[in-house]
Amino acid sequence: MRTLFKGGTVVSGQGTRPADVLVEGGTISAVGTDLSADGAQIVDCAGKLLFPGFIDAHTHFDLAVAGTVTADDFATGSRAALRGGTTTVIDYAAPDKGETLAYGLAKWREKAAGRCACDYGFHMTIDDWSEGISREMGEMVDQGIPTFKMYMTYPAMMLPEGDLYRALKRLRELGCLTGVHCENSAVIDALIAEAKAAGRIGPASHPRTRPAPLEAEAVSRLLRIAQVADVPVIIVHLSTREGLEEVRAARRRGQTVYVETCPQYLLLDESVYDAADYLDAARYVCAPPIRGAADRDALWEALKSGEIQTVATDHCSFTLEQKRMGREDFTKIPGGLPGVEDRGVLLYTAGVAAGRIDEAAMCRLLSENAAKLYGCWPRKGVIAPGSDADIVIYDPAAEGAITAADHIQNVDYDPYEGIPDRGTIHQVYLRGTLAVDRGQVLAGPDGQFIPRGRSVL
Ligand code: MN
């Protein structure tokens, strides 16, 4: 089957240009002006932007957390992803302490296989350390999982610093990357104890017990350990200006540091936690917490300057009923926000349409840099001959508003409720097949596991 996308504006990380795109089977075969193809199905793209399918490299589908399970699994989450223009997700496989990485990977493969509507890959969580895990890290790379995740908080997940160092050294040997969740766990625990002793048990205590300096301190500590291990790292979900300062300091020393942030840190501010109604505040509980307006502005500046390489969602959805679990104790609120369906429109609306970034930057942040950083370039992340025909047709002229009443994420609220959209996702093609047509998800559970190689960013 041949499809010719006529008359649109093709976006890449370098800029925009008017071009036609010819797709044969699941692959892009030509990009150029005035293309024609006998017998091809024609898709009129006049007035539309063509982005390479977005990649969301930070999702948590079907994850057990604190006595409950995320509301979205691979079936619902991947359909929502596609509807939002995301054609590839990279989720975190998370073995429990004591389990092998192979066992953790098998569990995640089982969660996704035959259910996922978009393409997918996994990062492997390193939450324990042994010779066996060190060896298995190499086996993960051989199986197309060259990226890892480590935590500096959460007792069930975090590694002692000596093991963090050992794992980083092993990554250096393998030439691979890890994302790291940076927050100072011990001081957060002390602040939580203070808040509870003072009877401050509501959601407003959540951001106050995880203040900005405790992200910056952990970023600094990680980057100093990475300096000694002599290895690049990725700071995931960076939320603060002070954390960004620590990244800048490490880069001035000559270190390679990559940074991801998320829509919640770009679109919202900490006043969400002051809502009088418990659920109105609890719905925004996530870690790191949503920060102040000055942090938000600093992150936008860093997106514009290229200091932040990618925007992912940290999609980790819980229903309002699940968020009730912390009614008597804010530390029992399951932490996480939905967003996998909203990211593209949010970044276009608050970024491109608002004049903060241009289309090329949006393409780098959502597609190109993620593909390069996470090792699936140029199969993904670019509209070019030979690449998978993952194409988002964006209509910048359409207007709408984000609302839970419309979304298909399996959650009964939307953190971005009421934000007026500039533009909509008109159509989404996954490997050459129409997967979403004006909000209707047509794709079945045909997402493929995408084996990845080493970073080329
Ligand atoms: Mn996460």
Side-chain angles (χ1 to χ4, degrees):
M1 196 179 99
R2 310 167 91 191
T3 311
L4 183 59
F5 298 81
K6 285 288 287 181
T9 298
V10 172
V11 186
S12 78
Q14 286 69 52
T16 59
R17 60 168 174 150
D20 303 333
V21 179
L22 181 62
V23 168
E24 302 194 51
T27 308
I28 294 165
S29 61
V31 182
T33 45
D34 297 322
L35 295 184
S36 60
D38 287 343
Q41 184 197 338
I42 306 292
V43 178
D44 177 11
C45 297
K48 309 288 199 297
L49 297 167
L50 274 62
F51 286 93
F54 305 141
I55 298 165
D56 192 340
H58 194 150
T59 65
H60 300 281
F61 296 154
D62 200 356
L63 178 68
V65 178
T68 187
V69 181
T70 54
D72 279 296
D73 62 11
F74 276 87
T76 63
S78 65
R79 287 170 57 82
L82 272 179
R83 194 164 184 262
T86 291
T87 48
T88 304
V89 297
I90 310 178
D91 201 87
Y92 291 93
D96 291 330
K97 282 186 197 277
E99 294 176 354
T100 63
L101 302 188
Y103 180 77
L105 177 59
K107 271 206 294 199
W108 255 259
R109 280 188 179 276
E110 196 177 308
K111 289 171 193 272
R115 292 196 184 88
C116 199
C118 65
D119 285 352
Y120 61 94
F122 305 113
H123 310 284
M124 180 52 64
T125 306
I126 305 297
D127 57 11
D128 205 355
W129 190 249
S130 66
E131 265 180 41
I133 286 176
S134 176
R135 188 189 61 247
E136 278 198 285
M137 285 170 72
E139 293 164 12
M140 292 298 120
V141 179
D142 296 340
Q143 292 178 65
I145 297 159
T147 48
F148 297 84
K149 172 80 175 285
M150 297 195 281
Y151 292 84
M152 298 175 79
T153 187
Y154 304 134
M157 313 283 273
M158 62 193 281
L159 282 180
E161 282 160 29
D163 290 341
L164 181 65
Y165 167 76
R166 291 179 184 98
L168 290 175
K169 282 283 287 235
R170 176 66 172 137
L171 287 164
R172 185 180 193 284
E173 249 173 48
L174 293 168
C176 289
L177 283 168
T178 188
V180 184
H181 179 136
C182 298
E183 286 188 292
N184 183 312
S185 175
V187 181
I188 287 170
D189 284 348
L191 291 177
I192 288 171
E194 280 178 16
K196 286 187 178 176
R200 297 191 299 268
I201 57 161
S205 287
H206 174 71
R208 292 183 175 91
T209 56
R210 309 183 89 94
L214 296 187
E215 177 179 76
E217 186 279 335
V219 169
S220 167
R221 186 159 30 105
L222 169 73
L223 292 179
R224 286 300 189 175
I225 297 169
Q227 181 183 16
V228 174
D230 190 23
V231 68
V233 289
I234 306 167
I235 311 294
V236 296
H237 51 49
L238 185 81
S239 63
T240 59
R241 181 188 56 75
E242 287 159 286
L244 185 61
E245 292 295 348
E246 298 298 338
V247 171
R248 289 175 176 144
R251 287 177 177 158
R252 283 196 297 269
R253 295 194 292 267
Q255 289 181 246
T256 300
V257 185
Y258 303 105
V259 180
E260 168 203 277
T261 191
C262 309
Q264 54 269 34
Y265 307 117
L266 297 167
L267 274 291
L268 306 173
D269 72 67
E270 62 197 351
S271 64
V272 297
Y273 297 115
D274 296 327
D277 178 75
Y278 165 80
L279 277 181
D280 284 347
R283 67 181 64 191
Y284 291 103
V285 165
C286 59
I290 293 158
R291 306 293 187 177
D295 294 296
R296 192 178 59 186
D297 294 345
L299 295 174
W300 275 112
E301 283 302 315
L303 290 183
K304 186 173 182 173
S305 67
E307 292 173 286
I308 294 177
Q309 283 68 44
T310 185
V311 176
T313 60
D314 199 4
H315 182 98
C316 188
S317 57
F318 297 99
T319 64
L320 293 176
E321 187 55 37
Q322 290 176 296
K323 291 280 184 181
R324 281 184 200 282
M325 292 169 67
R327 194 78 188 83
E328 308 300 328
D329 174 356
F330 69 94
T331 64
K332 298 206 163 52
I333 302 169
L337 301 183
V340 77
E341 189 171 344
D342 301 328
R343 184 182 57 142
V345 164
L346 287 174
L347 213 67
Y348 189 87
T349 298
V352 178
R356 288 178 168 126
I357 57 171
D358 61 14
E359 290 90 345
M362 174 167 158
C363 180
R364 290 193 297 275
L365 293 164
L366 297 193
S367 302
E368 181 179 303
N369 285 352
K372 289 179 172 174
L373 187 58
Y374 296 109
C376 52
W377 174 274
R379 177 173 180 185
K380 304 292 190 186
V382 60
I383 295 178
S387 295
D388 280 0
D390 298 344
I391 297 172
V392 178
I393 303 182
Y394 198 87
D395 181 358
E399 290 183 7
I402 287 177
T403 171
D406 173 62
H407 76 199
I408 63 166
Q409 302 171 124
N410 189 33
V411 54
D412 51 352
Y413 76 100
D414 196 301
Y416 310 103
E417 182 77 31
I419 290 183
D421 300 340
R422 293 289 301 278
T424 59
I425 308 285
H426 179 68
Q427 288 184 326
V428 181
Y429 287 78
L430 175 65
R431 283 177 277 102
T433 299
L434 182 61
V436 179
D437 187 18
R438 286 159 293 180
Q440 287 294 111
V441 179
L442 308 173
D446 303 317
Q448 293 181 1
F449 173 75
I450 305 297
R452 293 172 296 117
R454 285 173 177 78
S455 173
V456 295
L457 188 64

